[in-house]
Amino acid sequence: YPAINKPAGIVHWLKYSKDAQNVDWVVILDADQIIRGPIVPWELGAEKGKPVAAFYGYLVGCDNLLAQIHTKHPELCDKVGGLLAMHIDDLKALAPMWLSKTEEVREDRAHWSTNLTGDIYGKGWISEMYGYSFGAAEVGLRHKINDDLMIYPGYVPRAGVEPVLFHYGLPFTVGNWSFSKLDHHEDAIVYDCNRLFPEPPYPREVQALEAEPNKRHSLFLSIECINTLNEGLVSHHASRGCSKPKWSKYLSFLKSKTFAHLTQPRYLTHGSPQIEKAEIQQYTFDKPGKPYPKIHTVFSTECTTYFDWQTVGFMHSFRLSGQPGEVTRLLSCTDEDLKRYAGHDLAPTHNVPSMSRHPLTGD
Protein backbone atom coordinates (compact mmCIF):
# COMPACT_ATOMS: atom_id res chain seq x y z
CA TYR A 1 0.00 0.00 0.00
CA PRO A 2 2.24 2.85 -1.27
CA ALA A 3 0.16 5.67 0.23
CA ILE A 4 1.37 4.69 3.69
CA ASN A 5 4.75 6.13 2.71
CA LYS A 6 3.37 9.62 3.31
CA PRO A 7 2.80 9.33 7.08
CA ALA A 8 5.75 6.94 7.40
CA GLY A 9 7.94 9.49 5.64
CA ILE A 10 6.75 12.30 7.92
CA VAL A 11 7.53 10.20 11.01
CA HIS A 12 11.00 9.39 9.67
CA TRP A 13 11.70 13.03 8.73
CA LEU A 14 10.68 14.26 12.18
CA LYS A 15 12.92 11.70 13.85
CA TYR A 16 16.04 11.86 11.69
CA SER A 17 16.18 15.15 9.78
CA LYS A 18 18.03 18.13 11.22
CA ASP A 19 15.66 20.36 9.24
CA ALA A 20 12.76 19.14 11.35
CA GLN A 21 14.55 20.33 14.48
CA ASN A 22 14.78 23.88 13.16
CA VAL A 23 11.30 24.74 11.94
CA ASP A 24 8.16 26.35 13.35
CA TRP A 25 5.53 25.57 10.71
CA VAL A 26 5.19 22.74 8.20
CA VAL A 27 3.25 22.78 4.93
CA ILE A 28 2.45 19.25 3.73
CA LEU A 29 1.59 18.92 0.05
CA ASP A 30 1.41 16.19 -2.61
CA ALA A 31 3.74 15.69 -5.55
CA ASP A 32 0.92 16.07 -8.09
CA GLN A 33 0.40 19.71 -7.20
CA ILE A 34 1.39 23.07 -8.65
CA ILE A 35 1.92 25.94 -6.19
CA ARG A 36 0.65 29.28 -7.47
CA GLY A 37 1.58 31.54 -4.57
CA PRO A 38 3.03 31.61 -1.06
CA ILE A 39 1.33 29.32 1.45
CA VAL A 40 2.07 31.04 4.76
CA PRO A 41 0.31 29.19 7.58
CA TRP A 42 -0.49 32.11 9.86
CA GLU A 43 -1.75 34.20 6.94
CA LEU A 44 -4.24 31.43 6.29
CA GLY A 45 -5.30 31.55 9.93
CA ALA A 46 -3.37 28.54 11.24
CA GLU A 47 -2.72 28.50 14.96
CA LYS A 48 -1.08 26.06 17.30
CA GLY A 49 -3.68 23.33 17.77
CA LYS A 50 -5.64 24.54 14.74
CA PRO A 51 -4.05 23.59 11.40
CA VAL A 52 -5.37 24.93 8.12
CA ALA A 53 -6.44 22.39 5.52
CA ALA A 54 -8.25 22.01 2.22
CA PHE A 55 -11.67 20.35 2.21
CA TYR A 56 -12.08 16.71 1.10
CA GLY A 57 -15.84 16.31 1.14
CA TYR A 58 -15.81 12.70 -0.03
CA LEU A 59 -14.41 11.47 3.30
CA VAL A 60 -17.89 10.41 4.38
CA GLY A 61 -16.43 8.03 6.96
CA CYS A 62 -16.06 10.99 9.29
CA ASP A 63 -19.85 10.99 9.63
CA ASN A 64 -20.61 7.30 9.99
CA LEU A 65 -19.63 4.01 11.60
CA LEU A 66 -16.05 4.22 10.31
CA ALA A 67 -15.19 7.15 12.58
CA GLN A 68 -16.96 5.52 15.52
CA ILE A 69 -14.79 2.43 15.09
CA HIS A 70 -11.46 4.15 14.57
CA THR A 71 -11.42 7.16 16.87
CA LYS A 72 -12.58 7.88 20.39
CA HIS A 73 -13.53 11.35 19.18
CA PRO A 74 -15.60 10.95 16.00
CA GLU A 75 -17.04 14.41 16.60
CA LEU A 76 -13.55 15.84 15.91
CA CYS A 77 -13.11 14.07 12.57
CA ASP A 78 -12.49 16.66 9.83
CA LYS A 79 -12.80 15.92 6.10
CA VAL A 80 -9.48 17.40 5.06
CA GLY A 81 -6.38 16.75 2.97
CA GLY A 82 -4.40 17.96 -0.02
CA LEU A 83 -3.04 21.04 1.71
CA LEU A 84 -2.08 20.84 5.38
CA ALA A 85 -0.40 23.73 7.21
CA MET A 86 0.37 23.23 10.87
CA HIS A 87 2.67 24.04 13.76
CA ILE A 88 5.60 21.67 14.18
CA ASP A 89 4.46 20.72 17.69
CA ASP A 90 1.09 19.63 16.32
CA LEU A 91 2.78 17.57 13.62
CA LYS A 92 5.03 15.86 16.18
CA ALA A 93 1.97 14.86 18.19
CA LEU A 94 -0.01 13.82 15.13
CA ALA A 95 2.50 11.95 12.95
CA PRO A 96 2.78 8.65 14.88
CA MET A 97 -1.00 8.52 15.24
CA TRP A 98 -1.45 9.32 11.52
CA LEU A 99 0.72 6.32 10.69
CA SER A 100 -0.88 3.92 13.15
CA LYS A 101 -4.42 4.92 12.18
CA THR A 102 -3.52 4.44 8.50
CA GLU A 103 -2.38 0.91 9.33
CA GLU A 104 -5.53 0.33 11.36
CA VAL A 105 -7.95 1.51 8.65
CA ARG A 106 -6.03 -0.37 5.97
CA GLU A 107 -6.33 -3.59 7.97
CA ASP A 108 -10.06 -3.08 8.54
CA ARG A 109 -11.11 -4.74 5.28
CA ALA A 110 -14.60 -5.40 6.61
CA HIS A 111 -15.31 -1.66 6.36
CA TRP A 112 -13.76 -0.79 2.99
CA SER A 113 -17.11 -0.50 1.23
CA THR A 114 -17.87 2.62 -0.79
CA ASN A 115 -20.90 3.55 1.30
CA LEU A 116 -18.71 3.72 4.42
CA THR A 117 -15.52 5.23 2.98
CA GLY A 118 -16.55 7.17 -0.11
CA ASP A 119 -13.78 5.29 -1.95
CA ILE A 120 -15.29 4.58 -5.38
CA TYR A 121 -13.12 1.47 -5.71
CA GLY A 122 -13.96 0.08 -2.27
CA LYS A 123 -10.39 -1.20 -1.97
CA GLY A 124 -9.03 0.81 0.95
CA TRP A 125 -7.05 3.15 -1.30
CA ILE A 126 -7.84 6.21 0.81
CA SER A 127 -6.96 4.59 4.13
CA GLU A 128 -4.09 7.08 4.53
CA MET A 129 -6.52 10.01 4.26
CA TYR A 130 -8.66 8.51 6.99
CA GLY A 131 -5.51 7.76 8.96
CA TYR A 132 -4.83 11.49 8.95
CA SER A 133 -8.37 12.55 9.89
CA PHE A 134 -8.74 9.93 12.62
CA GLY A 135 -5.23 10.58 13.92
CA ALA A 136 -5.92 14.31 14.13
CA ALA A 137 -9.15 13.61 16.00
CA GLU A 138 -7.29 11.39 18.47
CA VAL A 139 -4.81 14.14 19.35
CA GLY A 140 -7.50 16.82 19.48
CA LEU A 141 -6.64 18.92 16.43
CA ARG A 142 -9.44 20.98 14.90
CA HIS A 143 -8.82 22.27 11.41
CA LYS A 144 -9.66 25.59 9.90
CA ILE A 145 -11.05 24.31 6.63
CA ASN A 146 -10.78 26.44 3.51
CA ASP A 147 -12.39 25.21 0.31
CA ASP A 148 -10.93 28.00 -1.84
CA LEU A 149 -7.19 27.39 -1.42
CA MET A 150 -6.88 24.32 -3.65
CA ILE A 151 -8.62 23.30 -6.85
CA TYR A 152 -8.62 20.31 -9.15
CA PRO A 153 -8.08 21.52 -12.73
CA GLY A 154 -11.39 21.12 -14.50
CA TYR A 155 -13.39 22.23 -11.48
CA VAL A 156 -15.00 25.66 -11.54
CA PRO A 157 -13.87 28.03 -8.76
CA ARG A 158 -16.20 30.35 -6.92
CA ALA A 159 -16.49 33.81 -8.47
CA GLY A 160 -13.54 36.00 -7.58
CA VAL A 161 -11.47 33.17 -6.11
CA GLU A 162 -7.88 32.52 -7.21
CA PRO A 163 -6.68 29.21 -5.71
CA VAL A 164 -3.06 29.09 -4.56
CA LEU A 165 -2.72 25.39 -5.34
CA PHE A 166 -3.57 23.06 -8.24
CA HIS A 167 -4.07 19.35 -7.51
CA TYR A 168 -4.12 17.54 -10.85
CA GLY A 169 -5.15 14.18 -9.40
CA LEU A 170 -8.09 13.80 -11.78
CA PRO A 171 -8.35 13.92 -15.60
CA PHE A 172 -9.26 17.32 -17.05
CA THR A 173 -10.15 18.62 -20.50
CA VAL A 174 -10.06 21.88 -22.43
CA GLY A 175 -11.98 21.64 -25.69
CA ASN A 176 -10.63 18.58 -27.53
CA TRP A 177 -7.46 18.48 -25.43
CA SER A 178 -7.21 16.38 -22.25
CA PHE A 179 -4.70 15.32 -19.62
CA SER A 180 -4.67 12.51 -17.08
CA LYS A 181 -1.66 11.83 -14.89
CA LEU A 182 -2.45 8.11 -14.98
CA ASP A 183 -1.71 8.09 -18.72
CA HIS A 184 1.89 8.89 -17.76
CA HIS A 185 2.45 6.27 -15.09
CA GLU A 186 5.54 4.85 -16.77
CA ASP A 187 6.58 8.07 -18.50
CA ALA A 188 10.31 8.89 -18.39
CA ILE A 189 9.67 12.34 -19.84
CA VAL A 190 12.07 13.87 -17.29
CA TYR A 191 14.96 11.95 -18.88
CA ASP A 192 13.84 12.33 -22.50
CA CYS A 193 15.44 15.52 -23.80
CA ASN A 194 13.04 18.24 -24.97
CA ARG A 195 9.92 16.09 -24.84
CA LEU A 196 6.91 17.78 -23.26
CA PHE A 197 3.32 16.87 -22.48
CA PRO A 198 0.90 17.59 -25.35
CA GLU A 199 0.37 21.32 -25.61
CA PRO A 200 -3.05 22.60 -24.57
CA PRO A 201 -5.03 25.29 -26.42
CA TYR A 202 -3.63 28.81 -26.32
CA PRO A 203 -5.32 31.52 -24.21
CA ARG A 204 -6.89 33.14 -27.27
CA GLU A 205 -8.45 29.80 -28.23
CA VAL A 206 -9.69 29.25 -24.68
CA GLN A 207 -11.27 32.69 -24.72
CA ALA A 208 -13.43 31.56 -27.62
CA LEU A 209 -14.40 28.23 -26.05
CA GLU A 210 -16.52 29.50 -23.18
CA ALA A 211 -18.57 32.66 -22.66
CA GLU A 212 -19.51 32.18 -19.00
CA PRO A 213 -16.79 33.94 -16.94
CA ASN A 214 -16.35 31.37 -14.16
CA LYS A 215 -16.26 28.42 -16.54
CA ARG A 216 -13.80 30.29 -18.74
CA HIS A 217 -11.68 30.98 -15.66
CA SER A 218 -11.69 27.23 -14.97
CA LEU A 219 -10.35 26.54 -18.47
CA PHE A 220 -7.59 29.11 -17.99
CA LEU A 221 -6.62 27.44 -14.72
CA SER A 222 -6.42 24.08 -16.49
CA ILE A 223 -4.06 25.31 -19.19
CA GLU A 224 -1.98 27.16 -16.60
CA CYS A 225 -1.47 23.90 -14.72
CA ILE A 226 -0.18 21.91 -17.70
CA ASN A 227 1.79 24.85 -19.09
CA THR A 228 3.59 25.24 -15.75
CA LEU A 229 4.41 21.53 -15.81
CA ASN A 230 5.81 21.87 -19.32
CA GLU A 231 7.74 25.02 -18.44
CA GLY A 232 9.33 23.06 -15.60
CA LEU A 233 10.32 20.30 -18.03
CA VAL A 234 11.88 22.84 -20.42
CA SER A 235 13.93 24.27 -17.57
CA HIS A 236 14.88 20.82 -16.29
CA HIS A 237 15.98 19.54 -19.70
CA ALA A 238 18.15 22.63 -20.17
CA SER A 239 19.76 22.05 -16.76
CA ARG A 240 20.58 18.46 -17.79
CA GLY A 241 22.55 19.69 -20.78
CA CYS A 242 20.00 18.76 -23.42
CA SER A 243 20.57 20.38 -26.79
CA LYS A 244 18.63 23.56 -27.43
CA PRO A 245 15.15 22.57 -28.64
CA LYS A 246 13.96 23.58 -32.09
CA TRP A 247 11.87 26.73 -32.19
CA SER A 248 8.14 26.19 -31.93
CA LYS A 249 5.16 28.42 -31.39
CA TYR A 250 4.48 26.67 -28.09
CA LEU A 251 8.01 27.08 -26.72
CA SER A 252 7.90 30.71 -27.75
CA PHE A 253 4.66 31.10 -25.81
CA LEU A 254 6.10 29.46 -22.67
CA LYS A 255 8.95 31.97 -22.74
CA SER A 256 6.73 34.97 -23.49
CA LYS A 257 5.79 37.91 -21.28
CA THR A 258 2.16 36.90 -21.77
CA PHE A 259 2.75 33.55 -20.09
CA ALA A 260 4.90 35.12 -17.37
CA HIS A 261 2.02 37.48 -16.59
CA LEU A 262 -0.53 34.66 -16.55
CA THR A 263 1.56 32.68 -14.07
CA GLN A 264 2.74 35.42 -11.72
CA PRO A 265 2.40 34.42 -8.06
CA ARG A 266 -1.00 34.73 -6.40
CA TYR A 267 -0.88 36.51 -3.07
CA LEU A 268 -3.33 36.64 -0.21
CA THR A 269 -5.40 39.73 0.45
CA HIS A 270 -8.12 39.87 3.08
CA GLY A 271 -8.01 36.11 3.47
CA SER A 272 -8.61 35.35 -0.20
CA PRO A 273 -5.97 34.57 -2.82
CA GLN A 274 -5.77 37.38 -5.36
CA ILE A 275 -3.55 38.03 -8.35
CA GLU A 276 -2.25 41.41 -7.23
CA LYS A 277 0.69 41.52 -4.86
CA ALA A 278 -0.22 42.31 -1.29
CA GLU A 279 1.91 43.19 1.67
CA ILE A 280 2.70 40.15 3.77
CA GLN A 281 0.58 40.37 6.88
CA GLN A 282 2.59 40.96 10.01
CA TYR A 283 3.06 37.92 12.19
CA THR A 284 2.06 38.55 15.79
CA PHE A 285 5.20 38.01 17.82
CA ASP A 286 5.09 37.00 21.46
CA LYS A 287 8.22 39.02 22.16
CA PRO A 288 9.81 41.95 20.33
CA GLY A 289 12.78 40.87 18.26
CA LYS A 290 11.62 37.27 17.93
CA PRO A 291 12.93 35.89 14.61
CA TYR A 292 10.57 35.36 11.69
CA PRO A 293 8.99 31.90 12.02
CA LYS A 294 10.54 29.20 9.85
CA ILE A 295 8.35 27.38 7.33
CA HIS A 296 9.25 24.03 5.77
CA THR A 297 7.35 22.44 2.88
CA VAL A 298 7.40 18.65 2.47
CA PHE A 299 5.99 16.27 -0.14
CA SER A 300 6.20 12.51 -0.51
CA THR A 301 7.34 10.49 -3.55
CA GLU A 302 8.76 7.13 -4.58
CA CYS A 303 11.67 6.05 -6.82
CA THR A 304 9.67 6.01 -10.06
CA THR A 305 9.59 8.07 -13.23
CA TYR A 306 5.91 8.74 -12.47
CA PHE A 307 6.87 10.72 -9.40
CA ASP A 308 9.91 12.23 -11.09
CA TRP A 309 7.95 14.30 -13.61
CA GLN A 310 5.59 15.35 -10.84
CA THR A 311 8.60 16.41 -8.76
CA VAL A 312 9.96 18.52 -11.61
CA GLY A 313 6.63 20.33 -11.92
CA PHE A 314 6.27 20.72 -8.16
CA MET A 315 9.77 22.11 -7.67
CA HIS A 316 9.44 24.49 -10.62
CA SER A 317 6.21 25.87 -9.19
CA PHE A 318 7.76 26.08 -5.70
CA ARG A 319 10.49 28.34 -7.07
CA LEU A 320 8.06 30.48 -9.09
CA SER A 321 5.54 30.86 -6.28
CA GLY A 322 7.73 32.67 -3.79
CA GLN A 323 6.95 30.05 -1.16
CA PRO A 324 9.04 31.01 1.89
CA GLY A 325 11.35 28.60 3.66
CA GLU A 326 12.89 25.31 2.61
CA VAL A 327 11.42 22.33 0.80
CA THR A 328 12.10 18.61 1.21
CA ARG A 329 11.08 15.65 -0.90
CA LEU A 330 10.45 12.56 1.24
CA LEU A 331 11.74 9.85 -1.10
CA SER A 332 10.49 6.37 -0.15
CA CYS A 333 12.49 3.61 -1.83
CA THR A 334 13.78 0.13 -1.22
CA ASP A 335 17.56 -0.18 -1.02
CA GLU A 336 17.64 -1.86 -4.42
CA ASP A 337 15.49 0.80 -6.07
CA LEU A 338 17.60 3.54 -4.54
CA LYS A 339 20.77 2.10 -6.10
CA ARG A 340 19.21 2.20 -9.57
CA TYR A 341 17.43 5.51 -9.12
CA ALA A 342 18.38 8.33 -11.50
CA GLY A 343 16.51 11.27 -9.98
CA HIS A 344 18.52 12.07 -6.86
CA ASP A 345 19.11 15.67 -7.92
CA LEU A 346 15.49 16.59 -8.71
CA ALA A 347 14.81 18.12 -5.28
CA PRO A 348 16.28 18.53 -1.80
CA THR A 349 15.65 15.04 -0.47
CA HIS A 350 15.27 13.07 2.73
CA ASN A 351 15.50 9.34 2.00
CA VAL A 352 12.93 7.16 3.72
CA PRO A 353 12.74 3.35 3.88
CA SER A 354 9.88 2.20 1.67
CA MET A 355 6.73 0.86 3.27
CA SER A 356 4.99 0.25 -0.06
CA ARG A 357 5.01 -3.36 1.10
CA HIS A 358 4.38 -3.28 4.83
CA PRO A 359 7.28 -4.92 6.73
CA LEU A 360 4.91 -6.67 9.14
CA THR A 361 1.71 -7.38 7.22
CA GLY A 362 3.11 -7.64 3.69
CA ASP A 363 0.33 -5.35 2.46
Side-chain angles (χ1 to χ4, degrees):
Y1 178 59
I4 201 171
N5 285 316
K6 186 174 181 179
I10 295 283
V11 169
H12 195 277
W13 179 73
L14 288 171
K15 186 173 182 179
Y16 294 107
S17 171
K18 290 181 180 177
D19 290 331
Q21 311 309 315
N22 187 34
V23 64
D24 301 297
W25 295 89
V26 182
V27 176
I28 303 170
L29 301 176
D30 291 323
D32 58 344
Q33 293 180 330
I34 296 293
I35 310 170
R36 303 180 77 220
I39 300 169
V40 181
W42 57 89
E43 286 188 10
L44 302 179
E47 304 172 54
K48 198 170 179 179
K50 295 179 180 178
V52 163
F55 181 57
Y56 271 1
Y58 56 82
L59 295 178
V60 296
C62 275
D63 299 328
N64 62 36
L65 178 65
L66 201 66
Q68 295 167 27
I69 293 172
H70 291 291
T71 172
K72 301 185 193 75
H73 303 286
E75 74 283 359
L76 299 183
C77 186
D78 288 328
K79 302 172 185 174
V80 294
L83 184 161
L84 303 165
M86 70 183 69
H87 194 274
I88 185 67
D89 291 347
D90 292 333
L91 184 59
K92 287 176 179 176
L94 166 65
M97 191 63 71
W98 181 1
L99 177 57
S100 67
K101 287 294 175 183
T102 298
E103 293 171 319
E104 187 181 302
V105 176
R106 181 68 182 170
E107 285 294 294
D108 184 14
R109 295 169 184 264
H111 298 99
W112 276 6
S113 61
T114 301
N115 65 317
L116 284 176
T117 64
D119 179 359
I120 58 172
Y121 302 106
K123 298 290 186 182
W125 290 120
I126 58 177
S127 298
E128 175 271 318
M129 297 180 188
Y130 280 114
Y132 177 86
S133 291
F134 295 155
E138 287 292 279
V139 299
L141 296 182
R142 290 314 309 260
H143 296 80
K144 295 186 176 183
I145 302 172
N146 190 323
D147 201 20
D148 291 332
L149 296 173
M150 183 184 80
I151 196 167
Y152 286 88
Y155 283 31
V156 179
R158 288 194 306 114
V161 168
E162 282 288 350
V164 292
L165 191 68
F166 292 139
H167 191 178
Y168 55 90
L170 300 172
F172 56 101
T173 62
V174 179
N176 294 324
W177 175 93
S178 65
F179 180 82
S180 171
K181 70 171 189 175
L182 294 178
D183 291 340
H184 301 276
H185 212 278
E186 307 291 331
D187 199 332
I189 194 168
V190 164
Y191 307 103
D192 196 350
C193 275
N194 300 326
R195 186 162 66 85
L196 306 177
F197 294 117
E199 63 185 69
Y202 291 90
R204 189 173 296 177
E205 297 169 306
V206 171
Q207 194 79 22
L209 282 174
E210 179 59 61
E212 201 280 316
N214 269 10
K215 291 180 181 177
R216 187 195 302 139
H217 185 204
S218 169
L219 297 179
F220 273 107
L221 294 177
S222 292
I223 64 169
E224 180 187 330
C225 178
I226 193 67
N227 283 334
T228 304
L229 265 171
N230 275 337
E231 186 186 35
L233 286 168
V234 170
S235 176
H236 171 72
H237 289 152
S239 73
R240 289 188 68 228
C242 292
S243 60
K244 190 174 180 179
K246 294 178 181 177
W247 182 91
S248 71
K249 179 183 175 184
Y250 183 56
L251 278 178
S252 181
F253 167 70
L254 290 181
K255 295 176 180 179
S256 68
K257 289 182 179 178
T258 300
F259 182 63
H261 175 73
L262 288 172
T263 56
Q264 62 183 303
R266 270 58 177 174
Y267 292 85
L268 295 173
T269 50
H270 309 299
S272 297
Q274 302 292 342
I275 193 167
E276 70 270 9
K277 186 170 182 177
E279 286 187 25
I280 297 291
Q281 296 174 20
Q282 290 298 307
Y283 187 77
T284 304
F285 296 113
D286 296 327
K287 298 176 184 175
K290 182 180 177 181
Y292 194 77
K294 295 184 179 70
I295 302 172
H296 206 106
T297 302
V298 297
F299 66 106
S300 177
T301 74
E302 299 163 42
C303 284
T304 65
T305 56
Y306 178 58
F307 278 107
D308 287 351
W309 63 257
Q310 293 176 43
T311 296
V312 166
F314 183 98
M315 288 303 302
H316 181 64
S317 73
F318 179 90
R319 289 186 284 265
L320 289 179
S321 69
Q323 174 67 8
E326 304 298 322
V327 61
T328 295
R329 170 181 62 165
L330 306 177
L331 183 64
S332 301
C333 308
T334 64
D335 290 342
E336 284 304 308
D337 286 341
L338 199 59
K339 290 175 187 174
R340 295 191 296 265
Y341 183 58
H344 291 284
D345 61 347
L346 296 180
T349 299
H350 176 79
N351 290 321
V352 179
S354 175
M355 282 186 66
S356 293
R357 185 166 293 282
H358 197 285
L360 298 179
T361 66
D363 181 23

